[in-house]
Amino acid sequence: MRLLLKGGRVIDPSQDLDKVADLLIEGGRIAEIGDIDAKPGQVEDVSGKVVLPGLIDMHVHFREPGFEYKEDITTGSRAAAAGGFTAVATMPNTNPVTDARSVLEFILRRAQEVNLVKIHPIGALTKELKGEEMAEIGDMIEGGAVAFSDDAFPIQNSGLVRRVMDYCAMFDVPVILHCEDMSLSDEGLMNEGLTATILGLNGIPAEAEEIAVARNIMLARLAGCRMHVAHASTRGSVELIRRAKEAGLRITCETCPQYFSLTEEAVRGYDTNAKVNPPLRTADDVAAIKEGLADGTIDVIATDHAPHAIEEKETEFAAAASGMVGLETAVGLVVTELVKPGILSLAEAFEKMSAAPARILGSAAADGTLQVGKAADVTVIDPAAEFVVDPSKFHSRSKNTPLAGRRLTGMPVLTVFNGRIVARAGEVIA
Amino acid sequence: MRLKRKDILGLEEITADEIELILQTAISFKEILGRQIKKVPTLRGRSIVTLFYEPSTRTRTSFEVAAKIMSADVSSIAPSTSSVVKGESLKDTILTLRSMKPDVFIMRHSASGAPHFVAGLIPESVINAGDGMHEHPTQGLLDMMTIYEKKERFSGLTVALVGDILHSRVARSNMWGLTKLGAKVRLVGPKTLIPPGANRLPVEVYTNVEEGIKGADVVNVLRIQLERMKKGLFPSIREYSRLYGITRERLKLAKDDVIVMHPGPMNRGVEIMPDVADSDISMITTQVTNGVAVRMALLYLLMGGTEDALAA
C-alpha cells in the first residue's frame, strides 16, 4: 500500500523541516520525503497545502464509558479525524472513572475497534476523582496510561497533591493539573469583573487559577515531578509558569483555542455555550496567552473538547454544564487567531499540536513527527481555506460551541492515520 | 408612542425614552387606584401567567392586582406545587404553559438570565420579575416613579443605594434606570458587598455610609440577608447595623428634603431604623402603590397600548 502526498509544503517542527516536497507512505510508515516519482499507488495532489505531522490533542473528553449521550469513542474519534487529529489523550472523568486498569483497557480496546485515531487514556490521580485516596497509578501505567490527572476535580489538599506528585515522579509520568482553588471560585459561573457584575453572575477571579498554579509549581519543585498545567487562561498563570521555567523546573503548560480567541464578553446574553472552566477571561488575558504562546512559555495547544448534550446547555446559565467542543474548530482558530496575525509561524503553531505534546506524553504515546520510519500519521491543512463554523456539521455527538457562525481561515483537508486516509475536507471517509 | 419591544428583561437595555413612556403611563394609571370601582376593561380577554420560582409576596401580588384591575386573566404558577418538583426543565415548563396561549409571562427566578433564556424560546412577552442578582426592572421603575412624583425630575438628583449591592438586582435596575435619566447614583456598602468592577460602572462607590449619603436627595435602603453573614461577608447583624443602618442622625447629612425608600421586606432595626421607616420622609408604602401602577402600565404597553391610555 503506497500513498504519495505530492507537491505540498512539508512542515515538520521535530526535524526543522519546511520545504515543498513529496511525502511517500508505505506500509503504514513514512517512507521518504523528497522528489518522488508518482507511480505506483495512490497519489494525492496536495500542492498549495501544508503537510504536517498528525496533530495530537492531549486534552479531550470522550465520555465513554458512562456518558455516551454526550459523546462516545466512535463519535469522538470521528470528530478528531475530521478536525485533523491523529492522536488524543482522554480525561478520566468517565463513569466508572478511569481510575483503574480495567477501565483504561476498555477504552484502549474501543479505540482499536474504532481505529480512526490513537487514544491515550489519562488515568485519574485519585480514586473516583474524589481527592481522597491515590488511584492505582502503577498498575494503570502498565495498562497504558501516559499521564495522570483529576482534571476538573482538582485536588484541594496540598498534602495529597504532594504525595501523588512524589508517586508519579517515581515513574516519570506527567501530572496534569487543572489549577483551581475552589474556595475562591466558590459558586462562580464566569470570570469575575465588570461583565459578571452587570450580568449578575457570580465571578471566578483569576487568582483562583493563579494561586493553584503557584502552589502546584512549588509542590512540583518539592516532589521533582513532571507537571503539566492544563488550560492556562490568565496573565498571572503565564507569568508564574514563565518564571518556573526560567528556574529550570520540569513544568509544561497548555492553553486552548478559546483562551486566545474569546473573552468573557461571549457570555453576554447568557450564552451557556460560552460557559467553560476555567472561564473565558479578559482581552488582557487573551493578549498574555498569545505572548506566552509566542515566547514558548505555553508549550501546547489542546482543545479541552468537552461535549455536552443540548438539554445540558439549553437551560438556566447557573444550571448549564461547563465546557465546549473543540476538535473541529481548533485548526481554524489556530490559523485565524495565531498564524494569520503573525503571532506564530505555521511551524511554531503546529509544533504545539504535534511534537510538543508527543514530548510531554512520551514516545510510547505519539510520535508527532514525519521522520522516515515512523508511523504515518499525517495531517494536511489548507491554511487559506475559509469556512463558517456550522455545528450541525460536526461529527461530535454534541454541538456546544459559542463559535457558531464565526468565519475562520485554515481547514484540515486530509487526515492520514497509520498510513490510511481517514478524513478528507472535514468528512470522515474511513 | 408605543413600546416597541417584546420583553422587559432589564433596564440596562431600555432607552431613556422608553422609561419616560412607562413612567408617564404609570402616573396616569395611578388615578384608577384611587377610584371606588378599581376596574377598567383595557386588557379584557388577555391572559397572563405568573411563574415565580422564588418566594415573593409583594411582587407577585402586585402583578396580579395590576392585571386584574386591567381585566386580564391571571394564572399563577408556584413551581413548588407543579411538575417542576418532578424534575421538569424550565424549557419544558415554558413550552407547556405556552401551549395554553397566554399573552404575557411574568417570571421570577433565582438564576440570573433565566428570563432571557425563556424570552429566547417563545414569541410571547416576558416580564422579568427579578432574576438572581441581575435585574428587577419593575422594582427599578416603581422606585423611579416614586422619586419622580416627589422630585419632579431626575437630572441633578443624587440617589444613594445603601446595603448589599453585590447580590442586589434592585440596585442594578435602579442604577441603569436612574443614570439614563440623568441622576447621579452612589453605591454604598461594605467592600465585601460591593460587586467587583463597580468602579467601572457609571456610579460613585462609597464604603463609608456617612460620606455615601451626604447631600443625597434619595436614600434607597436595601435588604440585608442573614445568609450573607454565614458566608463571611460581614461579621454580625449588630456590626452591620452600627456601620450601615440608616438612622435619623445619619439622615441629617443628606439633603433637607431627602426621601427614604426600601424595596422590602424590611429588617426593622437592622438596615433601617423603625422611626425612619415610619416617618413622613419614608416612601415605602407609596412604593408599593406605585408598583401596581407601573405594572399596569407595562402590561398595557407590552400588549400594544399607546401613551393616551385613559383617553381610550
Side-chain angles (χ1 to χ4, degrees):
Chain A
M1 187 50 203
R2 241 171 84 108
L3 171 63
L4 183 64
L5 305 180
K6 190 135 186 72
R9 177 178 164 196
V10 181
I11 298 181
D12 181 8
S14 77
Q15 44 183 335
D16 276 330
L17 183 68
D18 185 348
K19 65 175 182 188
V20 174
D22 308 327
L23 185 145
L24 179 68
I25 294 162
E26 249 175 339
R29 307 240 150 223
I30 310 276
E32 190 185 349
I33 297 173
D35 193 2
I36 304 163
D37 195 2
K39 288 172 189 165
Q42 186 181 353
V43 180
E44 292 286 336
D45 177 8
V46 293
S47 52
K49 312 290 194 293
V50 175
V51 179
L52 298 163
L55 303 181
I56 302 166
D57 186 348
M58 65 177 290
H59 191 149
V60 302
H61 298 267
F62 274 5
R63 308 300 191 199
E64 183 180 348
F67 305 99
E68 293 83 357
Y69 69 97
K70 298 173 193 259
E71 191 86 287
D72 61 29
I73 287 168
T74 305
T75 57
S77 297
R78 289 171 63 83
F85 293 92
T86 57
V88 299
T90 54
M91 281 294 174
N93 57 334
T94 49
N95 183 21
V97 169
T98 313
D99 62 357
R101 186 169 178 168
S102 55
V103 185
L104 209 87
E105 286 174 347
F106 165 80
I107 293 169
L108 288 170
R109 193 174 68 245
R110 286 281 295 122
Q112 275 188 349
E113 284 166 19
V114 175
N115 198 26
L116 285 172
V117 57
K118 218 167 183 178
I119 294 184
H120 299 289
I122 296 169
L125 286 165
T126 67
K127 289 175 190 160
E128 294 178 42
L129 301 170
K130 282 184 173 165
E132 291 166 1
E133 293 173 48
M134 203 186 297
E136 290 182 345
I137 288 169
D139 197 31
M140 282 192 276
I141 290 171
E142 286 179 18
V146 292
F148 292 86
S149 180
D150 275 6
D151 198 29
F153 303 83
I155 305 170
Q156 298 298 295
N157 182 321
S158 300
L160 181 57
V161 174
R162 185 227 174 141
R163 288 191 291 279
V164 297
M165 282 180 166
D166 271 331
Y167 201 79
C168 286
M170 180 166 78
F171 302 101
D172 201 33
V173 286
V175 177
I176 301 175
L177 294 176
H178 166 119
C179 297
E180 179 181 353
D181 181 326
M182 294 179 88
S183 71
L184 275 169
S185 52
D186 196 21
E187 292 165 359
L189 299 168
M190 68 172 292
N191 186 47
E192 179 173 304
L194 181 64
T195 308
T197 287
I198 289 172
L199 292 174
L201 296 173
N202 279 312
I204 302 171
E207 285 77 2
E209 176 173 317
E210 292 157 5
I211 285 173
V213 169
R215 177 196 74 166
N216 293 338
I217 287 172
M218 290 177 185
L219 293 174
R221 185 177 56 197
L222 180 64
C225 80
R226 289 169 56 200
M227 197 243 298
H228 177 77
V229 175
H231 44 50
S233 74
T234 77
R235 176 173 288 281
S237 293
V238 175
E239 286 170 1
L240 286 162
I241 293 156
R242 188 177 288 131
R243 268 188 275 153
K245 288 186 158 190
E246 283 164 7
L249 299 179
R250 296 163 78 199
I251 284 165
T252 56
C253 168
E254 79 194 20
T255 193
C256 311
Q258 52 268 36
Y259 302 116
F260 57 73
S261 310
L262 292 165
T263 69
E264 58 185 356
E265 292 303 307
V267 177
R268 282 205 192 253
Y270 301 95
D271 182 356
T272 54
N273 284 324
K275 183 180 178 186
V276 292
N277 186 14
L280 301 174
R281 305 285 188 179
T282 66
D284 180 61
D285 293 303
V286 168
I289 294 295
K290 289 177 179 172
E291 290 160 23
L293 285 162
D295 73 8
T297 301
I298 300 174
D299 305 86
V300 167
I301 298 167
T303 67
D304 194 4
H305 177 80
H308 290 294
I310 288 170
E311 64 272 19
E312 295 170 314
K313 286 289 191 180
E314 221 177 28
T315 183
E316 299 94 316
F317 196 86
S322 267
M324 58 184 273
V325 292
L327 284 167
E328 293 171 82
T329 48
V331 166
L333 288 168
V334 166
V335 172
T336 307
E337 300 293 333
L338 301 177
V339 178
K340 267 178 83 183
I343 292 160
L344 296 178
S345 67
L346 280 168
E348 288 165 338
F350 289 101
E351 192 268 342
K352 295 178 191 297
M353 299 170 77
S354 56
R359 197 164 56 235
I360 292 163
L361 296 175
S363 55
D367 297 325
T369 181
L370 295 175
Q371 279 172 37
V372 170
K374 297 286 186 182
D377 293 343
V378 183
T379 299
V380 181
I381 69 163
D382 181 345
E386 292 192 10
F387 70 106
V388 174
V389 177
D390 178 359
S392 72
K393 292 188 177 154
F394 286 170
H395 294 76
S396 171
R397 178 158 290 145
S398 294
K399 317 294 174 193
N400 50 303
T401 174
L403 293 160
R406 186 131 153 182
R407 179 170 289 277
L408 298 178
T409 306
M411 264 180 78
V413 291
L414 214 54
T415 309
V416 180
F417 174 59
N418 262 332
R420 181 170 55 103
I421 295 174
V422 291
R424 184 192 296 276
E427 289 307 317
V428 178
I429 56 173
Chain B
M1 186 178 162
R2 284 174 186 277
L3 194 60
K4 292 187 193 70
R5 61 173 66 236
K6 175 171 97 70
D7 311 298
I8 301 291
L9 301 177
L11 299 191
E12 186 195 359
E13 61 267 24
I14 289 188
T15 65
D17 285 349
E18 287 174 306
I19 293 173
E20 280 176 356
L21 169 65
I22 295 163
L23 295 182
Q24 289 306 328
T25 310
I27 287 165
S28 68
F29 276 3
K30 191 176 176 182
E31 176 268 326
I32 299 168
L33 298 174
R35 295 182 193 171
Q36 197 171 14
I37 309 286
K38 298 180 208 32
K39 195 92 170 170
V40 292
T42 321
L43 297 182
R44 197 167 60 196
R46 298 304 192 102
S47 167
I48 292 165
V49 167
T50 74
L51 187 59
F52 277 65
Y53 282 84
E54 266 189 346
S56 158
T57 311
R58 73 191 63 217
T59 303
R60 187 171 51 80
T61 310
S62 178
F63 268 111
E64 286 176 12
V65 167
K68 284 173 179 169
I69 290 172
M70 307 289 281
S71 299
D73 296 308
V74 190
S75 310
S76 296
I77 315 292
S80 60
T81 60
S82 73
S83 56
V84 172
V85 294
K86 298 177 190 165
E88 187 175 57
S89 72
L90 179 56
K91 177 180 174 177
D92 288 326
T93 301
I94 294 296
L95 294 182
T96 302
L97 292 171
R98 192 197 158 224
S99 305
M100 301 177 197
K101 308 296 180 190
D103 299 287
V104 179
F105 282 90
I106 294 162
M107 182 176 163
R108 169 167 291 187
H109 201 289
S110 59
S112 299
H116 303 67
F117 167 65
V118 169
L121 283 177
I122 56 171
E124 290 81 13
S125 289
V126 176
I127 300 178
N128 179 5
D131 65 321
M133 318 188 305
H134 175 237
E135 283 220 47
H136 190 350
T138 57
Q139 180 72 43
L141 289 165
L142 75 89
D143 288 346
M144 292 179 75
M145 176 175 170
T146 307
I147 292 168
Y148 189 77
E149 279 185 332
K150 275 285 166 188
K151 306 291 182 187
E152 296 181 327
R153 65 193 167 99
F154 291 106
S155 102
L157 292 182
T158 298
V159 179
L161 302 165
V162 183
D164 181 0
I165 311 294
L166 176 62
H167 299 94
S168 178
R169 52 197 176 207
V170 177
R172 284 171 179 76
S173 288
N174 265 269
M175 175 190 75
W176 294 123
L178 288 164
T179 52
K180 271 179 199 186
L181 291 191
K184 282 203 196 96
V185 171
R186 297 176 181 173
L187 306 180
V188 187
K191 189 161 186 300
T192 44
L193 295 176
I194 299 284
N199 56 339
R200 286 154 64 204
L201 291 168
V203 296
E204 292 173 6
V205 177
Y206 293 86
T207 53
N208 178 296
V209 74
E210 279 85 12
E211 288 169 22
I213 66 174
K214 193 173 180 183
D217 298 278
V218 179
V219 176
N220 196 345
V221 190
L222 304 170
R223 173 180 169 77
I224 193 81
Q225 289 181 294
L226 295 178
E227 59 259 38
R228 310 298 179 211
M229 192 172 71
K230 293 182 194 124
K231 288 208 78 179
L233 291 166
F234 62 93
S236 65
I237 290 294
R238 177 173 172 270
E239 175 152 320
Y240 182 84
S241 184
R242 283 172 66 107
L243 291 182
Y244 293 96
I246 297 301
T247 62
R248 278 184 172 274
E249 197 57 32
R250 282 185 170 141
L251 283 170
K252 287 178 186 161
L253 296 164
K255 289 251 174 73
D256 290 341
D257 61 347
V258 68
I259 56 171
V260 176
M261 307 203 295
H262 193 299
M266 273 185 285
N267 297 300
R268 284 176 177 258
V270 181
E271 70 263 10
I272 187 166
M273 297 311 125
D275 56 344
V276 174
D278 297 332
S279 70
D280 55 7
I281 63 168
S282 164
M283 297 294 120
I284 295 169
T285 53
T286 308
Q287 285 173 269
V288 177
T289 306
N290 288 347
V292 177
V294 156
R295 290 170 180 123
M296 288 165 66
L298 266 187
L299 290 172
Y300 170 74
L301 291 168
L302 275 183
M303 287 191 259
T306 66
E307 62 192 330
D308 320 313
L310 292 180

